[in-house]
Amino acid sequence: MSSAAAVAPPPGGDAEKGPAAGGPPQPGGGGGSGGRARRRRQARAGLLFAAPMLLLFAVFRFGPVLGAVFLSLTDYRLNGEWTFVGAENYTRLGGDELFRDSLTVTLLYVVIFVPLTVLLSLATAAMLHQVVWRRGLFRGIFFLPYVTSIVLAAVIWKWIYDAEDGLLNGLLGLASLGPVDFLGSGGLVLPSIALTSAWKGFGYSMLILLAGLQAIPRSYTEAAMIDGAGPWQRFRHITLPLLRPVLFFVLVIETISAFQVFDAMYVMTGGGPVRSSYSLVYMLYDSGFKFFDFGYASAIGLVIFVFVLGVSLVQRRFLGKED
């Protein structure tokens, strides 16, 4: 046997190199365990960096929620004394006529405010989507009310709605109509407040919907135009289905906002007339900070949470699921 044959590589040559010879790691070898260890170290490092924020989130988010659940099961007073009463606060809510009335007011407000705000936001976003000249300027103009104080907006609109010296009644007087007591009428007070809140807050939802519209590929609408689809057909069969996830998000945040209405009612009407604008959060405020019945107020807050969660799940059932 020659010396060349003695040092010849085994059959297969370079194709059978192992990890030590520079080839790919073999299953079950040291390379696999080393990769897993490296991934574990990276995961631990990521958790270490995220730990401060997770801790803050747990303390300032989950902590108050757990505290509210505990308070709702107690008779907690301003001096720090408390007595465990179990479900007594919830039983009181079931027999409280004021709670039923405020719940009705809140639900009516949600029914008025949410469609109004979503439609206004969607119409404005669709209009801005078609604008080419000074789009940023118009976007800023429509968004401007959102960054103003709700108290300031409520004071301005309260003057606009004034039955004697208000701007709106002045315009109605030019047409020999009115005066109309928008904030003093039980049938008009909720639509009036809803219009004020919609004007104040629609800019945020408008920007979200505008971003969703701009993310839709133009090739879809162009293909529909070639096939002869009109504007309404393109909007109904192309834009709305593709915009559904964004629309679901907007519906959820506006529903939460509607259930939490308080500021506008407090400034514009004080809950009147005859509690026609007395919402659940208004009742929560009075129970906790006027009568210092913190356990009862916490029970109201958890009921609001349950209603918001239920409505959000219904919205997800019809809009949030993916095909």
Side-chain angles (χ1 to χ4, degrees):
M1 181 180 295
S2 64
S3 59
V7 298
D14 294 341
E16 297 187 8
K17 287 182 180 179
Q26 300 299 317
S33 60
R36 288 192 294 270
R38 184 170 60 253
R39 287 193 294 271
R40 284 195 295 268
R41 288 195 299 270
Q42 292 173 347
R44 285 195 294 267
L47 286 175
L48 183 62
F49 280 108
M53 184 55 65
L54 291 175
L55 180 62
L56 289 174
F57 187 84
V59 171
F60 293 103
R61 290 290 184 178
F62 290 118
V65 171
L66 295 177
V69 173
F70 171 74
L71 284 179
S72 70
L73 302 175
T74 65
D75 181 17
Y76 191 93
R77 293 297 171 177
L78 188 61
N79 58 5
E81 297 179 357
W82 60 275
T83 305
F84 185 80
V85 296
E88 181 179 328
N89 289 321
Y90 297 97
T91 305
R92 285 176 57 193
L93 284 177
D96 193 340
E97 184 178 354
L98 180 59
F99 170 76
R100 292 194 295 269
D101 292 342
S102 62
L103 176 60
T104 302
V105 168
T106 303
L107 293 177
L108 286 175
Y109 180 83
V110 170
V111 170
I112 298 170
F113 171 80
V114 175
L116 176 63
T117 305
V118 172
L119 290 176
L120 182 60
S121 303
L122 183 58
T124 310
M127 180 185 66
L128 287 179
H129 186 54
Q130 304 299 323
V131 172
V132 177
W133 181 80
R134 299 288 186 180
R135 178 184 295 178
L137 174 64
F138 290 114
R139 198 162 42 190
I141 292 173
F142 286 122
F143 187 74
L144 184 61
Y146 180 77
V147 299
T148 60
S149 167
I150 180 61
V151 175
L152 177 61
V155 170
I156 293 173
W157 278 87
K158 184 178 180 180
W159 171 74
I160 292 175
Y161 287 135
D162 190 83
E164 298 180 0
D165 302 319
L167 175 63
L168 191 54
N169 272 301
L171 295 175
L172 291 175
L174 295 177
S176 300
L177 299 174
V180 178
D181 192 1
F182 292 97
L183 299 180
S185 170
L188 294 177
V189 63
L190 284 182
S192 301
I193 296 175
L195 179 61
T196 300
S197 300
W199 173 85
K200 163 69 175 64
F202 86 97
Y204 180 74
S205 297
M206 176 204 69
L207 286 184
I208 295 175
L209 290 170
L210 180 59
L213 289 173
Q214 292 175 344
I216 297 175
R218 296 186 64 86
S219 57
Y220 293 168
T221 55
E222 291 172 354
M225 291 175 64
I226 294 174
D227 290 339
W232 170 247
Q233 291 175 316
R234 296 196 301 270
F235 181 79
R236 179 183 176 186
H237 297 291
I238 296 177
T239 303
L240 276 183
L242 294 176
L243 199 62
R244 190 175 65 179
V246 181
L247 200 58
F248 166 68
F249 174 76
V250 168
L251 276 173
V252 170
I253 62 173
E254 295 298 350
T255 301
I256 295 173
S257 173
F259 271 100
Q260 294 178 339
V261 61
F262 167 71
D263 311 66
M265 293 180 175
Y266 184 82
V267 174
M268 298 179 72
T269 64
V274 198
R275 301 194 184 275
S276 297
S277 58
Y278 192 75
S279 65
L280 281 175
V281 177
Y282 209 133
M283 183 180 178
L284 185 154
Y285 169 80
D286 280 348
S287 299
F289 298 100
K290 189 174 181 180
F291 304 112
F292 305 112
D293 193 352
F294 297 109
Y296 198 53
S298 299
I300 297 172
L302 289 176
V303 169
I304 296 173
F305 167 75
V306 170
F307 271 100
V308 171
L309 179 62
V311 174
S312 299
L313 291 176
V314 172
Q315 291 172 338
R316 175 175 171 76
R317 171 66 177 82
F318 292 100
L319 284 175
K321 64 179 182 179
E322 296 291 338
D323 290 333

